[in-house]
Amino acid sequence: MSGKIIIYQTLPRISGNRVSKPVPGNSYDINGTGKFSDFTDSNLSEIKSLGCTHIWFTGILEHATQSQCLSSNCVPDPPEIVKGIAGSPYSVKDYYDVAHYLADNHERRVEEFEELVIRCHNAGLKVIIDFVPNHVSRVYKSDKNPGLVPDIGENDFYYLPGKYFKSPVNNIKHIYEEYPARATGNNCFTENPTLQDWYETVKLNYGVDYFNHGTKYFDPVPPLWDKMVDIILYWSGKGVDGFRCDMAEMVPSEFWKYLTDKVKTKFPGLVFIAEIYNPDSYRTYLNSGFDLLYDKVGLYDTLIEIIKGESTPDSITKCWQSLGDIQDCMLNFIENHDEQRVASDFVAKSPERGLPATAVSALLNKSSFLLYFGQEIGERGMNCEGFSSLDGRTSIFDFWSLESFNNYRKGIYDYALYNKYKFLLNVSLNEQAIKYGETYDLQYANISNDNYNNSKLFSFARYYNNDIIFIIVNFSVHTENLALNIPEHFFTHWKIQKKANQKFIDLWSGEEFLADLSPTDKLILKVEQNFVKIFKLSLQ
């Protein structure tokens, strides 16, 4: 992969659902669901114009569910091993199939997904889906496997001999039996996982002996490795352009190297994104073929602390510089399906207060950026959908719809907020200095500046091919007036000449203004509350 990409993550089950008043904890029949067909040419063009290059469809693969959905052939799964009525998208039931309820025609469900991929490509969007290699549903059984490799089977699990599996769900009549018990997906090697464990899943065996100090048996290559290669080739052959790999670091890096070497030979443009949380493993997984890594424990956590008032913008400097030469391989975000909505009462309490963090996340460097559906229209995640409690997240376990999205389809939404997101994403993608340029952190040069509120402001510059873009982000709920200091080192570092009476352009307003580019003359500026000032200078 080369260059910055902008990913739009969407959960079709919810984002396409038009039911106006869903009932918490209820079925597909009552609460409805979104479909592949909801992603029309027009809808996809809007996502493209928002500034996105890729679209990540979350929850595409068939997974365990308590809902019968479309057909008598869709047999509901036992409730004691399904989270929620809809079920978790990460409890995969068939790696070669799609969720039945997402199709209009049950018998053509895979074909309907292929048609969606074509619509995305026609709109100029590349397609990403989830790959969940660490674990599967306890009732995994493929009926779509083309037969080139054997199905996931009994030799691919970890067993607890002589033990019966016991679900932690106690308020229902248990109809599911598992003997001997198998280890649970989150490395829980006990027959009675808790409600906090991934009790609906079973761990897959890649040749690591967890009962013997993690001894690895990779020679010969475990059969599971080639089964997983076949799954990636299957979906790549249907036009999928990339894979967000769930809990990648719970699967040995040697496997990832084996898989990516094989599949990128046939599909060299594939993008692999690792959900990963251990910085000590970052380089190992990049060397194993991943193109992008989650920057959750770094920039995301730092920005959320700033929004909550638990830290100041100065902490951004230490955070981004700690990654060194792998910074450009990170995927930045302010929301995704695992995290609380930035506009929720648990984080910023208002949609506007997420904009400064988004500006830093999308503009600070050449890292790619992820936007979660609804973030651009201020979705707050303040629903109690059923299995998912009131936790500031949009449920991945329930059939549900979002009032904000239904209003958006009617043209009722915060246009100003939406346009600011659109502006930030398009600047990130289309300004060459942002997409390709180096970063110069201006914060250190303004820490002692009496006319600069470093407890609320963060500033930096980007430079490429004689274009300089200055960016000042305002985390305050008030407009900030400032005088920005540009240090002498800025000029020597980029070999830029000091010049008087230069013409700058404000990229948000389009207004032009004249000012000196000099370490002795500060730039007098104003940055509106919860937003960003971005201005450009093209050197002659």
Side-chain angles (χ1 to χ4, degrees):
M1 191 196 88
S2 61
K4 189 183 191 84
I5 65 174
I6 309 293
I7 302 171
Y8 188 85
Q9 182 192 3
T10 184
L11 185 64
R13 176 205 295 166
I14 292 180
S15 62
N17 192 356
R18 287 171 168 75
V19 170
S20 60
K21 294 183 179 180
V23 180
N26 243 289
S27 67
Y28 163 89
D29 295 332
I30 294 174
N31 283 356
T33 182
K35 304 278 189 178
F36 294 135
S37 57
D38 291 312
F39 292 89
T40 62
D41 293 338
S42 175
N43 175 256
L44 293 169
S45 293
E46 288 176 4
I47 294 172
K48 177 66 176 177
S49 66
L50 189 59
C52 301
T53 60
H54 293 62
I55 183 166
W56 165 18
F57 292 106
T58 303
I60 292 300
L61 298 184
E62 183 186 5
H63 53 267
T65 178
Q66 294 186 50
S67 179
Q68 188 163 347
C69 299
L70 294 175
S71 160
S72 59
N73 294 327
C74 304
V75 179
D77 297 303
E80 66 263 41
I81 56 165
V82 180
K83 289 182 177 178
I85 301 297
S88 168
Y90 297 97
S91 179
V92 175
K93 190 176 176 180
D94 187 345
Y95 279 121
Y96 295 92
D97 205 352
V98 297
H100 297 229
Y101 57 77
L102 293 175
D104 293 313
N105 182 333
H106 171 263
E107 300 302 326
R108 293 192 68 256
R109 57 192 183 276
V110 175
E111 289 82 359
E112 288 188 27
F113 173 71
E114 292 176 292
E115 291 162 2
L116 170 60
V117 171
I118 292 171
R119 291 198 299 276
C120 290
H121 289 167
N122 289 341
L125 293 166
K126 293 188 175 181
V127 174
I128 294 171
I129 66 171
D130 286 289
F131 176 47
V132 190
N134 175 67
H135 51 270
V136 293
S137 165
R138 292 191 178 271
V139 291
Y140 184 94
K141 183 175 176 59
S142 176
D143 58 10
K144 286 287 188 180
N145 186 334
L148 298 177
V149 298
D151 197 15
I152 303 293
E154 61 182 19
N155 293 326
D156 298 315
F157 306 118
Y158 293 96
Y159 292 92
L160 306 169
K163 305 290 187 180
Y164 285 89
F165 168 76
K166 182 180 179 182
S167 170
V169 182
N170 295 319
N171 60 343
I172 58 173
K173 181 180 179 180
H174 288 254
I175 59 175
Y176 173 77
E177 293 185 358
E178 180 180 302
Y179 180 85
R182 294 170 291 176
T184 295
N186 60 319
N187 290 357
C188 176
F189 289 86
T190 178
E191 72 277 13
N192 54 349
T194 69
L195 287 171
Q196 285 68 48
D197 291 311
W198 306 344
Y199 62 83
E200 78 279 25
T201 69
V202 286
K203 174 84 174 178
L204 289 171
N205 187 343
Y206 283 83
V208 180
D209 186 354
Y210 288 96
F211 299 101
N212 187 26
H213 309 293
T215 303
K216 297 177 179 179
Y217 297 95
F218 297 160
D219 186 14
V221 168
L224 180 62
W225 291 25
D226 285 316
K227 295 177 184 181
M228 292 300 180
V229 168
D230 188 67
I231 291 162
I232 295 295
L233 291 175
Y234 173 83
W235 290 110
S236 301
K238 295 186 180 301
V240 171
D241 303 289
F243 299 87
R244 177 268 188 189
C245 300
D246 187 69
M247 298 308 298
E249 61 191 322
M250 295 185 74
V251 175
S253 61
E254 294 89 343
F255 158 75
W256 290 115
K257 177 65 173 171
Y258 181 84
L259 178 141
T260 55
D261 281 351
K262 282 185 173 292
V263 300
K264 286 188 175 183
T265 298
K266 188 169 183 179
F267 297 97
L270 286 178
V271 175
F272 282 86
I273 304 167
E275 180 192 13
I276 188 168
Y277 301 104
N278 179 14
D280 291 338
S281 297
Y282 284 177
R283 292 182 188 276
T284 298
Y285 281 79
L286 286 173
N287 291 334
S288 298
F290 279 100
D291 301 284
L292 296 172
L293 311 177
Y294 266 36
D295 197 356
K296 194 277 179 191
V297 300
L299 189 59
Y300 169 85
D301 283 349
T302 299
L303 291 171
I304 295 301
E305 288 174 358
I306 294 170
I307 292 173
K308 291 181 176 181
E310 299 169 358
S311 184
T312 63
D314 293 343
S315 60
I316 298 171
T317 297
K318 181 179 179 181
C319 171
W320 78 269
Q321 290 181 349
S322 68
L323 289 170
D325 63 327
I326 65 171
Q327 176 64 67
D328 299 343
C329 300
M330 307 308 291
L331 176 64
N332 296 338
F333 52 85
I334 299 301
E335 292 185 5
N336 65 39
H337 67 278
D338 284 321
E339 310 303 337
Q340 292 171 315
R341 292 282 188 174
V342 71
S344 74
D345 290 349
F346 300 90
V347 185
K349 299 181 175 62
S350 74
E352 293 77 17
R353 292 193 60 214
L355 283 164
T358 298
V360 173
S361 194
L363 304 176
L364 179 60
N365 44 50
K366 290 181 279 188
S367 298
S368 296
F369 180 75
L370 166 72
L371 185 77
Y372 191 39
F373 82 103
Q375 184 180 342
E376 72 277 18
I377 54 174
E379 170 56 36
R380 303 188 65 236
M382 295 300 292
N383 292 313
C384 184
E385 299 98 330
F387 183 87
S388 182
S389 60
L390 180 56
D391 59 1
R393 296 175 176 86
T394 296
S395 175
I396 64 170
F397 307 108
D398 300 284
F399 289 113
W400 198 252
S401 65
L402 298 178
E403 183 180 4
S404 61
F405 250 73
N406 286 333
N407 286 338
Y408 171 74
R409 295 186 188 98
K410 300 172 185 175
I412 306 170
Y413 62 96
D414 187 338
Y415 286 83
L417 180 74
Y418 181 90
N419 286 333
K420 286 179 178 179
Y421 270 102
K422 187 173 183 178
F423 164 70
L424 291 175
L425 296 189
N426 277 281
V427 165
S428 173
L429 191 64
N430 297 324
E431 285 293 339
Q432 300 297 289
I434 301 295
K435 191 173 183 179
Y436 301 114
E438 296 181 14
T439 300
Y440 190 96
D441 192 328
L442 291 165
Q443 193 75 356
Y444 85 94
N446 289 277
I447 289 176
S448 301
N449 182 348
D450 292 336
N451 295 309
Y452 181 95
N453 183 0
N454 69 300
S455 68
K456 294 297 181 182
L457 297 173
F458 182 75
S459 57
F460 56 100
R462 305 292 306 277
Y463 176 70
Y464 181 79
N465 197 24
N466 288 326
D467 280 348
I468 308 174
I469 293 182
F470 294 92
I471 301 167
I472 303 98
V473 179
N474 182 10
F475 288 91
S476 173
V477 296
H478 305 288
T479 295
E480 291 282 341
N481 295 293
L482 67 137
L484 183 70
N485 179 44
I486 303 174
E488 181 73 37
H489 181 261
F490 173 90
F491 296 89
T492 58
H493 176 70
W494 279 339
K495 298 179 176 60
I496 295 170
Q497 297 296 316
K498 304 154 194 172
K499 293 186 177 182
N501 210 34
Q502 291 295 293
K503 183 173 71 175
F504 295 83
I505 181 169
D506 185 315
L507 295 184
W508 170 246
S509 68
E511 296 176 356
E512 296 180 352
F513 62 95
L514 297 176
D516 294 341
L517 182 65
S518 165
T520 58
D521 296 287
K522 293 183 175 67
L523 292 174
I524 308 303
L525 303 164
K526 179 171 70 174
V527 189
E528 68 176 271
Q529 65 271 21
N530 297 318
F531 201 42
V532 59
K533 183 85 168 180
I534 307 175
F535 52 102
K536 178 179 178 180
L537 170 64
S538 294
L539 300 174
Q540 302 301 318

